[in-house]
Amino acid sequence: MTRTYPTQPCRGATKRKRPGKDKSTESTESNATTEESPPVCELDVESTPHTHTGRERMMPPDEKLGYFECRAQAMADNQQFDACISDLVRCVALAKLAHGDRHLKEAESSYLIAGQILEELYEQDGVVQEEKNKTELKISTALSRLYQRRGRPEEALAQCEKSLQLLGDGGDPGETCSVYRDMAAIEQSRGSLDRAIEHLTKAHAIAVSQSPGGPDRAHISYSLAMVHSSAAGPHHNESAAHYFEESLGAFKDTGPQDPTFLKAQDDYCHFLLINGKKERCVELQKASLAPKRCVFGEWSAEVSDSLQLIGGVEMTQGRIIQAHRTLRKCLEIQSIAYGPQHKKTKDTQKTVDMLARAPEVENRPLRQSPAAS
């Protein structure tokens, strides 16, 4: 007996013609059948290979998803449980590719169907508890992120809680950290910064216990710094500074040319600038110029942003000649990176023109000098 799921009929199912019927009768019966019930996937399970064929590789993701959904059902009906689990995992991955952001409702349906089949397999002793938990974890993780993208935070958090239950006390630390980070992102997106900090703090404790200087700690510390810097209150500022420094220290293991390290350093510099620590800000920005030139290129937006920040601080400190040199170099890069008509370029041009009229600059002969290097 073939089991069907009315929530989402198998895609790509074909209808066989009945012999002895004329075209008009056949057409009428075909339409009636289509209206009354969804098509049932007809697969010869015994002759269907469990590996990718050339035809499967050529299928687009949406068609391939339908194929594996049908095959998973057929495998379950024929008690070929290992193959069914394998196809369920494929369905979870393919739902992301097939539906993306355009058909999130269909993707949700695919995940729910996979969970339904998995539960039936478990009831039939077709899958052991450990394997069931692993597949359920994939489904709950995917659903939590899908619900978040659909603006359903409560359901997203519920799936995260389910993931934590599946992981238990002895779960993989990296996966547990990932769940807490997802929960923090959900809470932060709806403005619950204290809850976001709570989840990130748990993830941070796990990361520190597993690898004191590892990349997980660097990323989680960076996230904690950003959330604390967004929250009001002096204690949040102190915590933000602490976690920024911690993240930069942890990122050093990946090297100063790591783009994430450079991004974290830029965010820290903006935090320092807001809190009046200009010298430390300029110190870090000057140190970042060489690796940014190496990673992004001499004429990149990243290099121009650093020069603009440095030049702005120099100007507020009354170092007009140096600010003029730095911002002229910044303007040169912006003209190439953004174009002369871009707002950033025009704003910098106005500042450079203003500085050029200052007596210190106007009465000084121009000379080539490396800016803020």
Side-chain angles (χ1 to χ4, degrees):
M1 176 180 176
T2 301
R3 188 183 295 102
T4 60
Y5 297 92
T7 53
Q8 181 170 319
C10 290
R11 302 177 189 81
T14 57
K15 191 172 294 300
R16 296 176 181 171
K17 293 183 180 180
R18 296 181 183 178
K21 301 283 184 180
D22 60 35
K23 290 184 178 179
S24 60
T25 305
E26 180 183 302
S27 175
T28 303
E29 290 190 0
S30 175
N31 290 337
T33 305
T34 303
E35 291 173 2
E36 289 173 3
S37 61
V40 176
C41 179
E42 297 179 0
L43 286 174
D44 183 356
V45 177
E46 293 182 359
S47 64
T48 302
H50 300 162
T51 56
H52 285 286
T53 64
R55 175 175 170 272
E56 290 168 26
R57 292 192 188 97
M58 297 298 291
M59 289 180 182
D62 185 58
E63 184 180 343
K64 192 181 291 186
L65 173 60
Y67 175 81
F68 281 115
E69 281 177 351
C70 289
R71 204 169 78 168
Q73 289 183 21
M75 297 296 180
D77 291 333
N78 285 271
Q79 298 189 354
Q80 297 183 21
F81 300 124
D82 289 343
C84 180
I85 287 293
S86 178
D87 283 351
L88 283 177
V89 173
R90 287 193 182 105
C91 286
V92 172
L94 285 166
K96 299 176 185 177
L97 293 174
H99 303 306
D101 292 328
R102 294 178 303 163
H103 304 294
L104 296 179
K105 190 173 182 180
E106 290 185 42
E108 177 186 354
S109 180
S110 296
Y111 292 132
L112 294 175
I113 287 173
Q116 186 178 350
I117 296 174
L118 180 66
E119 191 61 41
E120 291 185 7
L121 284 176
Y122 181 68
E123 290 173 0
Q124 297 173 24
D125 296 326
V127 59
V128 297
Q129 184 71 54
E130 183 181 0
E131 192 66 32
K132 177 176 180 282
N133 287 353
K134 286 181 181 178
T135 308
E136 277 190 320
L137 180 61
K138 291 178 185 290
I139 294 171
S140 61
T141 300
L143 278 172
S144 71
R145 292 170 183 173
L146 184 147
Y147 287 141
Q148 185 181 4
R149 296 213 309 266
R150 295 191 68 189
R152 293 155 62 179
E154 292 297 337
E155 290 167 276
L157 287 169
Q159 290 298 324
C160 288
E161 292 288 356
K162 182 178 180 180
S163 295
L164 289 176
Q165 290 175 4
L166 290 167
L167 286 163
D169 294 334
D172 179 80
E175 290 183 335
T176 305
C177 275
S178 180
V179 175
Y180 279 127
R181 290 172 70 180
D182 284 347
M183 295 176 81
I186 295 166
E187 295 289 10
Q188 187 176 2
S189 68
R190 61 179 186 172
S192 301
L193 299 184
D194 287 340
R195 291 286 294 163
I197 290 170
E198 181 183 333
H199 294 311
L200 285 172
T201 302
K202 291 178 181 177
H204 182 266
I206 296 171
V208 170
S209 68
Q210 293 299 310
S211 178
D216 280 346
R217 180 178 183 178
H219 285 281
I220 295 168
S221 297
Y222 178 27
S223 296
L224 273 167
M226 293 300 291
V227 178
H228 275 293
S229 66
S230 301
H235 70 285
H236 285 298
N237 272 355
E238 292 173 7
S239 295
H242 166 76
Y243 284 117
F244 268 127
E245 290 284 0
E246 182 179 301
S247 68
L248 294 181
F251 272 126
K252 280 183 179 176
D253 291 340
T254 65
Q257 295 181 7
D258 181 352
T260 309
F261 167 77
L262 293 170
K263 177 68 169 63
Q265 189 168 252
D266 282 347
D267 286 329
Y268 185 29
C269 286
H270 285 102
F271 170 80
L272 291 170
L273 196 60
I274 291 170
N275 287 276
K277 299 182 179 180
K278 297 177 182 179
E279 292 295 335
R280 175 66 172 150
C281 170
V282 170
E283 176 190 343
L284 289 174
Q285 282 297 304
K286 285 184 176 181
S288 75
L289 282 171
K292 281 184 177 180
R293 285 174 178 135
C294 183
V295 175
F296 305 112
E298 174 70 35
W299 307 99
S300 63
E302 289 79 6
V303 172
S304 74
D305 287 346
S306 287
L307 290 172
Q308 189 169 44
L309 193 151
I310 294 167
V313 172
E314 290 171 341
M315 190 167 60
T316 62
Q317 292 174 332
R319 301 167 61 195
I320 303 302
I321 294 174
Q322 186 59 40
H324 182 250
R325 289 174 182 163
T326 303
L327 291 174
R328 277 178 58 216
K329 179 61 177 177
C330 171
L331 177 62
E332 187 180 358
I333 296 173
Q334 285 179 337
S335 298
I336 294 172
Y338 299 114
Q341 299 305 314
H342 193 277
K343 185 179 184 302
K344 278 191 173 184
T345 310
K346 288 183 175 181
D347 288 345
T348 305
Q349 180 70 67
K350 289 178 183 177
T351 305
V352 169
D353 291 344
M354 179 193 71
L355 291 172
R357 293 191 293 270
E360 303 97 309
V361 177
E362 200 170 31
N363 299 328
R364 182 184 178 90
L366 291 176
R367 62 178 181 177
Q368 290 297 112
S369 176
S373 57

